[in-house]
Amino acid sequence: MEPHHGVPAETTPSPYQLKTNITRFSPGDWIQVTVDGSTYFRGFLLQARDAISQTYTATIGTFTLTDPIKTQLLTCFKHQGSAVSHMTDHKQTEVVVTWNAPDDAPQAVQFFVTVVAHYKKFWVKIPGPIIYQHDLTPLPPHFSTTPSLMPSSTPSILPGPFTSEGCGIFKSCLADPPGCDPGGDLNCFFLSMYEEDSQEKLMTFELSGPAEGYLAFALSMDKWMGNDDVYMCVNDGDRVSVSAAFVSGRTHPEDQSQRGLSSVSWRLADGLIQCKFSRPVKFSHEEPARYDLEQEYFLFLANGHDKFRKHSQQPLISTQRKCINGPPEVLTASRGPLIMKMHGALMLLAWMLTGSVGTFIASFYKQQWANQTLLGQKVWFQVHRGLMVLTVILTALAFCLPFFYRRGWSKHAGAHPYTGCCVLVLSLLQPVVAVFRPPPDSNRRFIFNWLHWGVGSVTEILAVAAMFIGIRQSSLPLPLPWATHVLIGYVTWMGSFRLLLLINKYLNVRRYMQRDCRCLCCADRCAVAVLVEKKRG
C-alpha cells in the first residue's frame, strides 16, 4: 500500500482518519466507510484486512462506489473490487464508499488507508476502526492489529558463497550465464531450489548475483509481469533483508513481509548479494499471495540498483514452466523475448539489406541498366521496386511485434517507439507518392524526383537512428558496447561505399560530357571543311 514516489512516507501523526457507520456486522451487510481529514488530499488507497490473523495479508470483501467520477475500484490479490482508489488528482477532503461483507468474512475486520497529500507527502497504511461480527468479543485495546513483520527465525550470516554443485542432481538451478558457478564467478546470477525436509514439506531457495540494491525471483503463471509471488533480497546497508511480496500488475511489490520464511541467512561480499531461506510447500492459511509449490510456474530472476525495486535490466525468464518441488533439473532461461529478437532482426534486415540495396540500385545502376528490361519494365526499376516493397512489408511486420509483446505502448522505451512510428509512416508514404508520379517527360517530374529522394533519405536516416536507440533497450539485451561498435562500423562502411559510388558517378558523367563535347567539336570541324570544299569547287 506504499506509493513509490522516490521519497519515504511521513512518520508524523496523520491529519486523516477512517470512520465506519457501524461497529458490528453480519456477512452480507453493507457498511459505509468514510475517509476524511482536516486538510485536503489528492490520492488514497483503501482496503479491508483480517484484524486477527497475523499471517493473512489478502484483502477482505468488496467495495461499492458512491462517486464513480472521483473514485475507482481496484483488483488486489486477484480479488476484483477489493480496494478503492482515486480517479483523478483533484483536491478532496472526504470520500465515502460502501464495503460489502462477504459470506466468509473473518470475525474481525479492520480498514487501512494510504493517503497522498501531494506527490512527496503521504501517509502509508493508516489504521482505521475494527468492526466485529455480532458473536465476537471486541479485541482488547492493547491488541496489535498491524501484521507483525518479524521473521519466523532470526537471520544469520552465510559462512561462504553458494556453488552450483549438485545442480540437476539434488537441486534445480537457474543461472545466467548458463552453467556459471556463483562460488567463483562474480557476474553469475544464480537461483537454486531443493526440498530440505520432505516430512515437513519445506523448500529451500538460494539466490545469488551482483547487485547494488536488490535481487529477486518470482513465481508466475505466465511470462508477463503481474499476479506473481515474489521473494526479495534487499541490500539494507550492512545487512540483507529477505522478504516475500506480491505483484498485482506491472507495479512495485506490495504487502512485503517475512511471514512464513524460515532458516533465513544472507551474505554481502565482493559486490554480491546472496540469501537463503525456506518456506512451506503449502501455507496452512492458503494465502492467495503465496503460491502452492506443487504447481508449475515460470521463474523470473531480476535485480536492480535502488531500493524502489526498479529493474536494472530485463528479467531472466525460464523458457519452460517448472514444478517447484519436482525432480531436480538445470533450467534454461533468456533475458531477450523471442518476439523482440524477431523485431530487431526484421528491422535490421529491412534497413541494413533490402532498403540499402534498393536505394543503391536506383541511385547508381539506372544508367548501367538503362536499356535492359524485365517483364516490360527496366531491370533497375523492377529490382528497386521489389526491394523497397519488401522493405515496407518487413518494417510494418516488425513494427507490430513490440505491441504484441507489450500489449500496448511502451512508456519506458524512450525515443525509440516514436522514431519507429516516423519510419513506418514515411515508409508507407513512399509507395503512395510513387503511384501518383507524373510521366518521365512531364515538366512536373522534378517535383516527384526531389520529394521521393527527400522522403527516402529522411526515412533511412531515422531508421539508422532508431537502430542505435533500439540496441540499448532492456528487452533486447545485446553485448554493449560491441553491438554499438558493429553498427557504427556498418553505417561507416555504407556511407563510405555510397560516397565512392557518388564520386565514380560524377567522374563517369564528366567523362561522357567531355567525350560528347569532343565529338561535337569534331562534327563542327567536319561541317566547316565540307563547306570550304564546296566553295572551292
Side-chain angles (χ1 to χ4, degrees):
M1 297 183 68
E2 180 176 355
H4 295 272
H5 291 180
V7 294
E10 293 291 320
T11 56
T12 57
S14 167
Y16 310 103
Q17 59 181 346
L18 276 169
K19 296 183 292 186
T20 57
N21 63 334
I22 59 175
T23 57
R24 294 282 183 173
F25 76 98
S26 298
D29 286 353
W30 289 20
I31 294 91
Q32 180 177 293
V33 183
T34 303
V35 182
D36 60 14
S38 57
T39 182
Y40 70 85
F41 55 90
R42 294 182 179 273
F44 73 96
L45 176 62
L46 173 64
Q47 293 180 351
R49 301 287 184 91
D50 190 331
I52 298 177
S53 175
Q54 300 290 315
T55 59
Y56 197 80
T57 61
T59 51
I60 305 296
T62 59
F63 289 91
T64 300
L65 303 179
T66 58
D67 189 355
I69 297 178
K70 295 182 179 180
T71 56
Q72 62 177 330
L73 296 176
L74 301 179
T75 299
C76 294
F77 301 105
K78 303 180 184 180
H79 191 181
Q80 187 174 5
S82 60
V84 185
S85 184
H86 53 285
M87 181 68 75
T88 67
D89 62 352
H90 293 162
K91 296 179 180 179
Q92 48 189 332
T93 57
E94 183 182 73
V95 172
V96 179
V97 296
T98 301
W99 180 71
N100 312 312
D103 293 337
D104 57 348
Q107 294 294 309
V109 174
Q110 185 174 23
F111 296 92
F112 293 91
V113 66
T114 292
V115 182
V116 178
H118 54 78
Y119 188 82
K120 293 186 177 181
K121 187 174 184 179
F122 53 86
W123 286 262
V124 174
K125 211 170 184 180
I126 303 170
I130 301 176
I131 58 175
Y132 307 90
Q133 292 204 34
H134 290 289
D135 56 350
L136 180 70
T137 302
L139 300 174
H142 63 272
F143 184 85
S144 173
T145 59
T146 303
S148 172
L149 296 180
M150 293 299 294
S152 302
S153 60
T154 303
S156 60
I157 299 178
L158 289 167
F162 301 136
T163 67
S164 59
E165 183 179 356
C167 288
I169 301 174
F170 66 85
K171 64 182 180 181
S172 296
C173 299
L174 178 67
D176 181 40
C180 67
D181 186 352
D185 188 350
L186 298 181
N187 295 315
C188 180
F189 290 93
F190 181 81
L191 170 67
S192 71
M193 61 205 81
Y194 57 91
E195 193 167 20
E196 184 174 13
D197 192 328
S198 58
Q199 293 182 348
E200 294 186 8
K201 291 284 186 177
L202 286 176
M203 287 293 298
T204 297
F205 296 88
E206 297 174 334
L207 187 59
S208 173
E212 297 178 5
Y214 74 93
L215 278 175
F217 76 91
L219 310 178
S220 180
M221 300 291 186
D222 51 34
K223 291 188 176 184
W224 300 96
M225 181 178 174
N227 297 328
D228 303 329
D229 186 7
V230 181
Y231 299 87
M232 300 179 293
C233 300
V234 183
N235 187 344
D236 281 343
D238 58 349
R239 61 184 301 274
V240 175
S241 174
V242 182
S243 59
F246 188 80
V247 175
S248 58
R250 297 184 67 86
T251 59
H252 300 281
E254 56 190 42
D255 293 304
Q256 179 180 343
S257 73
Q258 296 175 319
R259 287 180 295 273
L261 306 185
S262 60
S263 303
V264 177
S265 55
W266 54 270
R267 180 175 180 267
L268 278 174
D270 303 320
L272 296 176
I273 295 178
Q274 296 186 326
C275 63
K276 178 180 179 181
F277 65 90
S278 300
R279 60 146 284 188
V281 174
K282 290 185 177 182
F283 278 91
S284 58
H285 292 278
E286 299 293 337
E287 294 190 50
R290 302 282 79 81
Y291 285 169
D292 181 358
L293 301 186
E294 291 182 343
Q295 304 300 319
E296 293 185 345
Y297 306 99
F298 288 100
L299 289 165
F300 283 57
L301 182 57
N303 67 296
H305 296 294
D306 57 73
K307 63 181 181 180
F308 297 110
R309 318 294 188 259
K310 184 178 180 180
H311 300 331
S312 58
Q313 59 180 326
Q314 183 77 3
L316 184 70
I317 305 175
S318 62
T319 55
Q320 302 291 335
R321 293 176 184 266
K322 161 65 179 171
C323 180
I324 305 304
N325 71 334
E329 58 182 308
V330 177
L331 304 172
T332 57
S334 173
R335 293 189 186 273
L338 178 61
I339 192 170
M340 296 305 294
K341 293 179 180 178
M342 292 174 59
H343 165 75
L346 290 176
M347 282 298 190
L348 291 175
L349 181 63
W351 293 103
M352 294 180 70
L353 182 62
T354 59
S356 297
V357 175
T359 55
F360 270 77
I361 295 297
S363 300
F364 306 111
Y365 287 85
K366 187 183 298 185
Q367 301 300 328
Q368 277 74 6
W369 296 341
N371 299 320
Q372 300 177 7
T373 60
L374 177 66
L375 299 177
Q377 296 282 353
K378 293 182 178 181
V379 171
W380 74 265
F381 178 73
Q382 292 284 43
V383 175
H384 169 73
R385 181 171 60 181
L387 288 174
M388 299 317 292
V389 169
L390 181 58
T391 300
V392 173
I393 294 174
L394 291 174
T395 301
L397 180 59
F399 178 84
C400 296
L401 296 181
F403 288 93
F404 294 147
Y405 172 68
R406 294 291 184 185
R407 299 180 181 179
W409 185 265
S410 178
K411 299 179 181 179
H412 306 288
H416 182 70
Y418 299 98
T419 310
C421 288
C422 294
V423 171
L424 179 66
V425 171
L426 293 176
S427 299
L428 295 175
L429 181 63
Q430 280 288 70
V432 174
V433 172
V435 168
F436 296 99
R437 67 187 183 276
D441 56 352
S442 172
N443 57 0
R444 294 178 299 170
R445 180 73 178 196
F446 77 94
I447 299 176
F448 162 76
N449 291 339
W450 280 105
L451 181 63
H452 193 60
W453 175 84
V455 173
S457 299
V458 172
T459 307
E460 194 168 11
I461 292 172
L462 289 175
V464 172
M467 286 189 286
F468 273 102
I469 301 172
I471 60 176
R472 295 184 175 275
Q473 296 298 314
S474 62
S475 57
L476 190 63
L478 294 173
L480 297 175
W482 295 108
T484 304
H485 294 164
V486 170
L487 190 55
I488 291 175
Y490 177 81
V491 173
T492 303
W493 178 80
M494 290 292 291
S496 303
F497 191 53
R498 180 167 296 186
L499 178 61
L500 291 174
L501 288 177
L502 281 172
I503 295 173
N504 180 68
K505 182 179 180 180
Y506 169 76
L507 294 176
N508 287 336
V509 170
R510 185 177 180 181
R511 189 181 304 115
Y512 292 148
M513 291 179 65
Q514 290 176 350
R515 186 182 63 183
D516 292 344
C517 184
R518 286 195 298 269
C519 292
L520 182 60
C521 291
C522 291
D524 290 342
R525 287 196 295 269
C526 291
V528 171
V530 170
L531 290 175
V532 171
E533 290 295 328
K534 285 184 178 181
K535 288 181 179 180
R536 289 177 179 178

